[in-house]
Amino acid sequence: MSPEREPLSTYLDPKMIEVYLLAHGWEVKIRNQMYSTWLGPSELGRTHLFLPFSKEPADYEDRLYEVVSQLAAIERREPEIVTTNLRYAGADLVRIRLVSPRVGPGELPLEDGRSLFEGAWDMMWAAACAAVQPRANFGPRAPGGATDYLDGVRLGQTERGSYVVTVISDVTPPDQQSLVPDESAHLEIPFERQVTTRLVDALNATHRAAKNVIAEQSDVGETFEGVVEEGVSANLCAAITKMATEKAAANVHIAVDWASSRRPTTEHRPSVTFEPSTLPVLEEAVNVLRQFGPFENEVIEGFVIRLNRGKEEEAIGSIVIEGLVQGTIRRVHVELPDEQYHLAITAHEERRPVRVRGTLAKRGRNWILSDLGQLRLEEPGDT
Amino acid sequence: MDLNACKDDYSRAVVRAIAAAAGVAASVPERDQDSIDLNLVAPDTHDAGGPQLDVQLKCSQNIDPSSDRFSFELPVKNYNDLRRLPVYVPRVLVLVHVPADRQEWIACGPEQMVLKRCAYWTSLAGEPETPNTSTVAVTVPTEQVFGVEALLSNLKRPGELL
């Protein structure tokens, strides 16, 4: 018999349990104001389950415990994990598990614990930034949407099983009448789901890239640059190596349990394991990807070599400046508002050099200058 | 082993044996609380979950079955837990009467095994509140013997009594 603990009813909501059951193929047989009864899917043995709604009966708590223990037996999981999954059925759960000789069941060295928790935060931060806009490297300031998201992310109870950290990412449920997720829910994906989707995609891409480098001896820079658009960044790679820690040399297993209230939004496997052999590759990828910026307060001086604006009435035009930046001649793409675009046209026509300050970063194959200051026309012969 | 612990184990064994003979599963509740000692659950049928019964167990040498009823002093907490309504699953009190001498509790032979002396049941559902602070005198009819038949008749589908 389990020791006395906080009542399940303080954090298990029967409505969320219903969402969970529906998402896992259970069929409702009876439903009224006091309870519902369910029939499990055939692959789980067509078992019946009783779910109480009302707290009024004296044995409400006992019946809730039975729900958890039944599901634990059917799913072959620890009751603790089932309870977490039911409690957070409306959230995507990101579980990070370390496996290493230094990690005992339910314990690990304090130093490794600090790295694990910091790395978990860094990983979610990287995923949130990449969900706004994929980049090779993110500076210290996260985009606004990412910061708001991170304010709402919570840490759950650690679970047994080596050492498991659980990150809870709530997902806004679709606006719908019935409990069954409908197809149209895919059309509007809330940002928090975009983050966890991006995380899964990026983790798969990172692992794939690392394995390619090891197996085919391919270039780290080229291989990892190729997966930046999938959400891979220096920040993400650094987070994974931080969690593994050099001393622990752990297998880092990261898995996402999708919220029951929304269907998965990626085809990729929701779990990835980074073996110790991948860590040196990731460390190298960190260094390479950091070379892609962003670098704040950079100045480029050069000539406008390309102008591009679609329709007349569009407010933004894009130009390419070929010039000196960071001591190197580069072609840098710049988006300009209307009045500055006209200056760029003048510079191009009169073959006059231009100068502009901004944040330089590599995106895909192109160098981009953003967060711009004023574009200035220089006198001919000034560069 | 302490006598109370022996009585506890023995009464559980008696009820488990009766449940097994009835084809009903007996398990210790997941939640550690004082008033229910065993959950009894019959197998699911094709169209519904199996009926259930929650049991509070007591064991006593001081029962006189010679008249049509006897009295038992039940702790107030157990009384209040067993009398509360509504419940999803019915609750009964099962009292196992044992001989004073532990050596006489069980007799084993090649033809039969005898468990002494008898288990009785009663339901306290809906009983009035009590001003008592220690125990409540509960009356149990001696005709209410707890065996396979009584077990099966007390089983109910969860929610059926609401």
Side-chain angles (χ1 to χ4, degrees):
Chain A
M1 202 181 295
S2 49
E4 196 61 51
R5 55 190 188 212
E6 205 175 338
L8 283 181
S9 54
T10 49
Y11 47 80
L12 281 191
D13 177 358
K15 288 195 193 64
M16 288 317 300
I17 299 176
E18 288 205 307
V19 169
Y20 179 92
L21 292 173
L22 275 166
H24 288 78
W26 289 74
E27 190 188 321
V28 63
K29 302 301 286 182
I30 296 171
R31 197 165 188 274
N32 56 46
Q33 283 189 325
M34 297 295 286
Y35 63 86
S36 54
T37 67
W38 297 77
L39 181 63
S42 50
E43 62 267 25
L44 297 182
R46 305 297 277 174
T47 314
H48 292 270
L49 188 120
F50 177 85
L51 176 63
F53 290 163
S54 169
K55 292 186 183 181
E56 196 196 339
D59 56 340
Y60 172 75
E61 193 70 25
D62 303 299
R63 307 290 72 96
L64 261 193
Y65 267 79
E66 282 169 8
V67 169
V68 171
S69 64
Q70 257 191 287
L71 286 173
I74 290 165
E75 295 180 6
R76 296 188 192 174
R77 294 195 193 202
E78 291 292 325
E80 197 179 37
I81 296 190
V82 170
T83 304
T84 302
N85 287 354
L86 292 176
R87 181 177 181 179
Y88 300 115
D92 293 333
L93 296 179
V94 181
R95 288 186 169 95
I96 305 152
R97 182 159 57 92
L98 286 191
V99 180
S100 106
R102 277 165 65 100
V103 179
E107 59 179 50
L108 81 168
L110 190 59
E111 186 186 341
D112 296 352
R114 186 177 81 159
S115 300
L116 176 61
F117 282 92
E118 284 181 359
W121 195 93
D122 292 345
M123 181 182 76
M124 297 309 297
W125 189 92
C129 290
V132 173
Q133 173 73 57
R135 279 195 190 176
N137 185 42
F138 298 102
R141 279 179 299 142
T147 314
D148 290 340
Y149 165 77
L150 288 162
D151 282 345
V153 172
R154 292 164 289 147
L155 211 51
Q157 193 86 8
T158 53
E159 292 171 352
R160 286 177 294 172
S162 305
Y163 196 90
V164 184
V165 168
T166 307
V167 175
I168 303 157
S169 174
D170 286 317
V171 181
T172 315
D175 186 19
Q176 60 195 27
Q177 295 302 312
S178 80
L179 287 172
V180 179
D182 66 63
E183 291 305 325
S184 66
H186 275 304
L187 299 177
E188 288 183 32
I189 300 174
F191 183 71
E192 51 272 17
R193 172 50 72 86
Q194 293 179 38
V195 173
T196 44
T197 304
R198 181 66 77 187
L199 176 67
V200 167
D201 291 345
L203 289 172
N204 275 275
T206 304
H207 189 258
R208 194 172 71 237
K211 286 300 201 184
N212 278 347
V213 167
I214 293 169
E216 292 164 30
Q217 303 289 304
S218 54
D219 178 68
V220 173
E222 259 184 50
T223 309
F224 277 82
E225 190 181 352
V227 290
V228 166
E229 285 302 309
E230 294 183 65
V232 179
S233 63
N235 311 74
L236 180 66
C237 295
I240 296 165
T241 57
K242 184 185 273 188
M243 289 190 283
T245 78
E246 197 179 333
K247 282 186 194 162
N251 274 306
V252 181
H253 178 80
I254 305 162
V256 174
D257 265 309
W258 301 109
S260 298
S261 49
R262 276 193 183 263
R263 293 209 167 95
T265 36
T266 174
E267 300 291 324
H268 283 124
R269 279 186 310 124
S271 72
V272 181
T273 300
F274 291 91
E275 305 86 350
S277 60
T278 61
L279 300 179
V281 176
L282 296 186
E283 281 164 6
E284 197 180 333
V286 170
N287 293 331
V288 166
L289 292 172
R290 278 190 180 148
Q291 291 170 29
F292 297 158
F295 307 103
E296 293 182 355
N297 223 23
E298 292 290 338
V299 173
I300 182 167
E301 296 182 10
F303 290 90
V304 176
I305 63 166
R306 201 179 306 151
L307 296 155
N308 186 29
R309 187 162 67 178
K311 297 177 190 149
E312 275 296 320
E313 58 272 22
E314 279 183 8
I316 299 284
S318 64
I319 68 172
V320 178
I321 301 173
E322 186 174 79
L324 191 67
V325 61
Q326 289 188 322
T328 307
I329 298 290
R330 286 205 169 112
R331 290 187 177 186
V332 178
H333 293 245
V334 185
E335 283 191 350
L336 294 171
D338 201 46
E339 56 192 54
Q340 296 206 51
Y341 186 76
H342 285 294
L343 276 179
I345 293 173
T346 304
H348 180 70
E349 283 173 352
E350 297 179 9
R351 290 195 172 81
R352 287 170 68 179
V354 296
R355 188 175 191 277
V356 64
R357 185 183 295 274
T359 298
L360 183 71
K362 196 162 185 202
R363 281 186 215 155
R365 296 190 180 284
N366 297 325
W367 286 97
I368 311 284
L369 197 73
S370 56
D371 300 325
L372 301 171
Q374 178 68 34
L375 180 78
R376 293 188 196 291
L377 264 62
E378 305 292 297
E379 290 304 319
D382 271 357
T383 58
Chain B
M1 193 160 112
D2 160 70
L3 181 62
N4 281 334
C6 293
K7 286 159 75 174
D8 191 44
D9 280 359
Y10 183 80
S11 56
R12 283 175 193 273
V14 164
V15 172
R16 281 184 179 272
I18 293 167
V24 170
S27 61
V28 175
E30 285 297 320
R31 192 168 75 100
D32 186 4
Q33 46 102 357
D34 296 329
S35 287
I36 302 299
D37 295 306
L38 284 174
N39 294 133
L40 305 180
V41 184
D44 290 354
T45 57
H46 175 73
D47 58 346
Q52 297 183 26
L53 179 67
D54 283 347
V55 172
Q56 158 81 76
L57 285 169
K58 293 294 179 193
C59 187
S60 174
Q61 299 128 304
N62 305 319
I63 287 174
D64 177 8
S66 58
S67 56
D68 62 355
R69 59 193 60 240
F70 63 87
S71 181
F72 179 82
E73 289 296 322
L74 187 66
V76 163
K77 186 195 181 305
N78 296 149
Y79 176 79
N80 284 329
D81 285 340
L82 291 173
R83 72 176 191 87
R84 279 178 66 186
L85 283 175
V87 284
Y88 286 108
V89 170
R91 300 172 159 188
V92 294
L93 171 66
V94 171
L95 279 151
V96 178
H97 178 207
V98 293
D101 182 356
R102 189 157 49 89
Q103 307 289 331
E104 294 178 22
W105 288 5
I106 185 165
C108 301
E111 291 298 318
Q112 62 181 358
M113 193 182 304
V114 178
L115 299 172
K116 291 185 180 177
R117 286 211 164 80
C118 186
Y120 302 93
W121 71 274
T122 187
S123 169
L124 302 177
E127 289 292 311
E129 248 185 273
T130 177
N132 298 11
T133 54
S134 176
T135 61
V136 177
V138 166
T139 304
V140 181
T142 47
E143 68 172 359
Q144 286 184 192
V145 170
F146 190 77
V148 169
E149 204 178 306
L151 164 53
L152 292 174
S153 68
N154 274 295
L155 289 168
K156 293 281 180 277
R157 293 227 151 83
E160 193 177 324
L161 298 177
L162 294 175

